[in-house]
Amino acid sequence: MYTHVLFDLDGTLTDPAQGITNSVAYALKYYGINEDPKKLTPFIGPPLHESFMEFYGFDREKAMEAVSKYREYFADRGIFENELYPDTVMALETLKTHGCRIGLATSKPQVFAEKILRYFNIDHYFDAVTGSFLDGRRTKKVEVVEEALKAFNHPSKDTVIMVGDRKHDIEGAKENGIACVGVTFGYGSREELTAAGAEFIADDFGKVLNVIL
């Protein structure tokens, strides 16, 4: 049994597709790029500035500017264009019942992550919330997970597991020496998660709980 559980947010606890893709489309429109939001799901999960650089060839300065434009839409509208996955509450409740400590480890700015947890009334399940800074610091998953472990006062690493849907979650966990279960109901494929080295793959929260407990 793992006693400390770190969750990714987007694509793991919530489905943020509409809000994120609409926000990206809004930012791209500023640069004269009209894109169908449905084509922008690859932006879900990785650090935003990296995705603008990878998919649209922006340099870092332009990518950070694009993130600022993204937040013009996201801060007031996109953040709430979001929904909990089925069984998210059940999973959190079950883990708490078994005495697990639960943390959030997301590349999303911490201020937005905390607001989302409160919006869905699941903030009380979390013993620690770790995200990035608005100025672009601590966006890499390895840094987020490292900080989350500090928030747990450095528990024995064999008691900690990360739950996430993209390769960044797997890599961040592995680089910090903890186990990771990749979930296929988010935005990373089974192939992506396996290639990244996930110790466990789960198709639903029931299987996630089987791994943890």
Side-chain angles (χ1 to χ4, degrees), residues 155-169:
S156 176
K157 291 187 176 180
D158 62 1
T159 69
V160 189
I161 190 166
M162 175 80 199
V163 183
D165 71 309
R166 297 300 307 274
K167 65 179 182 180
H168 310 83
D169 302 309

Side-chain angles (χ1 to χ4, degrees), residues 22-35 52 69:
N22 284 346
S23 299
V24 174
Y26 174 90
L28 291 173
K29 192 171 183 179
Y30 176 77
Y31 300 99
I33 303 171
N34 292 305
E35 200 71 271
F52 280 115
K69 298 304 294 184

Side-chain angles (χ1 to χ4, degrees), residues 94-106:
T94 301
L95 292 173
K96 276 299 182 185
T97 299
H98 281 79
C100 293
R101 298 191 69 197
I102 301 175
L104 191 75
T106 175

Side-chain angles (χ1 to χ4, degrees), residues 34-45:
N34 292 305
E35 200 71 271
D36 181 351
K38 294 179 181 178
K39 297 180 179 180
L40 299 173
T41 55
F43 275 79
I44 301 172

